[in-house]
């Protein structure tokens, strides 16, 4: 309803609206609902999940980060296999340093926007240090494979905006009206991305429910 109001009552250009939610199913439903209110112009808006938005954006910008636009996206199974391979190459015991446990640490680090160097500086203990070595090798291999995992989609857009301020300004001008559903589920990377896009204009509206928070 807010999107429809922006377009009908305020004369906002549909392509300047960015509407975000957390699952593909919810994004599909959002597209249908908005289209029922504003018609075919809904197709010109970016209505998607955070990850889909970032993947679409990175297809345009990947070369600035050392990737080709044809990069592949690793799912959880792909990532687990690659992490296991890294553990073996580093001659670690996979029973002592379980790929699943290290994978969770790497995912958490990326969601906190920690690079391998950041992670190694901020972690302690043998397990943490070994996980840092795996993280560094894992990232190196992803780049060599022209691949990103799901967490990279968010982190790499933040790194893009930090490293190339002109591109951040470009997308700030493009997305003048930002709306985020299920906001209680945002992690640090998503929060940072939303803040960066909103910029000084701060034209952002979020809807959330504290009682449904899973990152409390």
């Amino acid at each position: 309803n807010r999107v429809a109001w922006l377009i009908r009552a305020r004369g906002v250009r549909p392509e300047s609206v960015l509407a975000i939610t957390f699952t593909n199913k919810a994004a599909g439903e959002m597209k249908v609902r908005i289209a029922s209110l504003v018609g075919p112009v809904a197709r010109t808006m970016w209505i998607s999940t955070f990850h889909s938005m970032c993947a679409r954006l990175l297809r345009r910008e990947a070369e600035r980060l050392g990737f080709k636009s044809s990069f592949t996206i690793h799912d959880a199974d792909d990532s687990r296999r690659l992490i296991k391979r890294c553990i073996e190459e580093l001659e670690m015991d996979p029973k002592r340093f379980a790929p699943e446990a290290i994978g969770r640490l790497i995912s958490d680090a990326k969601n906190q926007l920690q690079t391998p160097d950041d992670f190694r500086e901020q972690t302690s203990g043998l397990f943490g240090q070994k996980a840092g070595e795996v993280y560094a090798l894992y990232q190196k291999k992803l780049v060599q494979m022209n691949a990103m995992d799901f967490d990279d989609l968010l982190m790499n857009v933040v790194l893009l905006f930090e490293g190339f301020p002109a591109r951040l300004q470009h997308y700030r001008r493009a997305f003048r009206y930002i709306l985020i559903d299920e906001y209680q589920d945002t992690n640090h990377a998503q929060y940072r991305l939303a803040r960066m896009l909103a910029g000084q204009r701060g034209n952002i509206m979020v809807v959330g429910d504290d009682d449904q928070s899973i990152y409390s």
Side-chain angles (χ1 to χ4, degrees):
N1 279 286
R2 177 170 168 80
V3 171
W5 175 80
L6 286 170
I7 293 170
R8 289 178 172 174
R10 304 291 295 188
V12 167
R13 289 171 30 244
E15 62 270 23
S16 67
V17 174
L18 172 65
I20 297 293
T21 188
F22 274 80
T23 66
N24 290 324
K25 181 180 178 181
E29 186 174 323
M30 188 183 288
K31 289 177 184 178
V32 170
R33 290 187 183 187
I34 291 175
S36 71
L37 294 171
V38 303
V41 295
R43 289 197 294 267
T44 66
M45 302 176 202
W46 284 44
I47 305 171
S48 70
T49 64
F50 268 109
H51 289 90
S52 295
M53 178 200 75
C54 290
R56 181 176 172 185
L57 192 153
L58 287 167
R59 294 291 178 198
R60 303 177 176 185
E61 308 287 347
E63 292 184 4
R64 299 178 194 275
L65 297 174
F67 294 88
K68 297 177 182 176
S69 61
S70 59
F71 66 85
T72 57
I73 300 173
H74 276 25
D75 63 18
D77 288 337
D78 296 326
S79 295
R80 188 163 48 250
R81 282 192 292 269
L82 183 56
I83 288 170
K84 187 171 185 289
R85 208 165 88 207
C86 291
I87 290 170
E88 290 168 351
E89 283 192 27
L90 291 168
E91 298 182 343
M92 298 178 188
D93 181 357
K95 292 182 179 178
R96 186 176 181 188
F97 301 100
E100 292 79 9
I102 290 181
R104 285 193 294 272
L105 284 180
I106 292 173
S107 179
D108 289 344
K110 290 184 179 184
N111 287 326
Q112 291 298 319
L113 301 175
Q114 294 176 352
T115 65
D117 287 340
D118 296 331
F119 179 80
R120 283 184 289 195
E121 285 178 8
Q122 296 176 34
T123 194
S124 59
L126 177 62
F127 193 92
Q129 291 299 315
K130 291 295 186 181
E133 291 179 34
V134 175
Y135 182 10
L137 182 58
Y138 172 67
Q139 284 305 108
K140 182 180 178 181
K141 286 187 177 295
L142 283 173
V143 174
Q144 291 172 346
M145 298 166 69
N146 191 39
M148 301 182 195
D149 63 24
F150 281 125
D151 297 315
D152 283 327
L153 297 176
L154 298 168
M155 185 170 178
N156 282 341
V157 172
V158 173
L159 293 176
L160 171 77
F161 288 164
E162 288 178 344
F164 300 89
R167 300 315 294 157
L168 173 57
Q169 292 302 324
H170 169 80
Y171 288 103
R172 280 178 175 171
R173 288 191 296 269
F175 302 133
R176 293 182 174 271
Y177 301 88
I178 301 170
L179 301 93
I180 303 175
D181 186 31
E182 303 290 355
Y183 186 70
Q184 76 279 351
D185 290 342
T186 47
N187 60 30
H188 176 70
Q190 291 157 340
Y191 169 77
R192 176 96 173 103
L193 182 56
R195 284 293 301 267
M196 293 177 91
L197 284 172
Q200 292 179 329
R201 186 184 296 111
N203 198 344
I204 181 170
M205 189 203 79
V206 305
V207 178
D209 179 0
D210 287 347
D211 292 334
Q212 294 184 46
S213 177
I214 61 172
Y215 291 112
S216 57

